[in-house]
Amino acid sequence: MYVIHDAEESSVRSLTFQLSALLPSSLQAKPVRSSAFYQNIAALKNDDILVTIGRDSYSQICSTVNTGIVIATFIGQEEYLNIQKDCLIPSSGVFSGAPLDKRFALLNAVWFDRKPLAVLYSDTLFIDQQKMEKEAAEYGFELRFLKTDTDRLSVLKSVNFLLEESEVILSLVDTQLYQDGVAQDILKLLFHKQRIMIGSSFAFVRAGSLFAIHSDSRSKLTALVERIRAWEDSKLLIEADYPGTLRVTFNPYLIRSHGVVLPSASYLKDKYGLCADTQC
């Protein structure tokens, strides 16, 4: 099994060590940078498992490899779906972020302004607007979609345009859009205009979004191991999905400044199946 990445070596080594601790000793996880992997691609076997870290690694594997299976991690659902439809080998994945229905349900409980929610995205995502609008409507929300180029100027212009009729931006996991500090620039703009973002990760909350429902590395690895074991034991490829354990993180400053009343930790668990940071 190969763990293919373009990330910082120390982070991937730590992740691979944690993954190996959850796997049977007969199965070794070998971290390899993408450039080195492609130099030895001819050595791949049909039963090899390719675990990719991030959107770029998954995209490269899907477009060049025709042997084995691939399981994508640290990738958004919309990023995965955009790549998966043309993937040359069977694939599954463990998504970052959280299902939209959970995000709408929690937002419905704490945010009572029914102005439309804005969804900003790049062309690297697969966006099913009709499905998303239907899900939003079940919780009393409307959506406004805008696809944008990913340079900083285009993104900030798009944000300003969306804020003419919306006070909340619902962020999706979008690696191409939120690179090179663009997320921080968006959040600064929202702060000055007294608008908010619903984040897609813990980092977004720390940088200035109202809240995010997300999973930690342990939860992602547990879901990954479930897929690896199913494939090893019975050649069953479990469909891509979110980890079973999700947590919610709130930004205390924005909670206070917007007068948001938070549900209790027990209510978050019982009603939404979410682990509050204070109870995780």
Side-chain angles (χ1 to χ4, degrees), residues 118 120 146 148 153-166 169 177-178 182 185-187 189-190 193 195 197:
L120 188 69
L146 184 60
T148 181
L153 183 59
S154 295
V155 171
L156 294 182
K157 283 183 176 179
S158 297
V159 171
N160 273 311
F161 177 78
L162 285 170
L163 293 181
E164 291 179 4
E165 58 178 8
S166 177
I169 290 182
L177 175 59
Y178 296 114
V182 171
D185 291 335
I186 294 173
L187 288 164
L189 178 60
L190 293 177
K193 290 182 174 289
R195 304 291 196 266
M197 174 182 279

Side-chain angles (χ1 to χ4, degrees), residues 122-135:
S122 73
D123 63 3
T124 60
L125 302 192
F126 172 80
I127 298 294
D128 187 337
Q129 292 192 16
Q130 186 174 6
K131 180 181 177 182
M132 291 177 66
E133 287 170 343
K134 183 178 179 181
E135 285 186 285

Side-chain angles (χ1 to χ4, degrees), residues 58-106:
Y58 177 58
S59 179
Q60 291 167 5
I61 289 296
C62 276
S63 62
T64 58
V65 176
N66 56 14
T67 299
I69 67 160
V70 57
I71 305 176
T73 59
F74 295 91
I75 188 171
Q77 181 178 23
E78 292 79 14
E79 291 179 318
Y80 173 88
L81 292 174
N82 194 44
I83 299 166
Q84 186 264 343
K85 62 182 185 295
D86 297 317
C87 198
L88 297 176
I89 57 176
S91 69
S92 182
V94 178
F95 301 143
S96 298
L100 280 173
D101 60 344
K102 281 191 180 292
R103 304 178 79 197
F104 289 138
L106 182 56

Side-chain angles (χ1 to χ4, degrees), residues 33 54 83 88 99 104 133 148 175 202 212 217 224 233 247 257:
R33 188 165 287 279
I83 299 166
L88 297 176
F104 289 138
E133 287 170 343
T148 181
T175 308
F202 173 75
S217 294
L224 172 59
D233 294 343
R247 60 173 61 196
S257 63

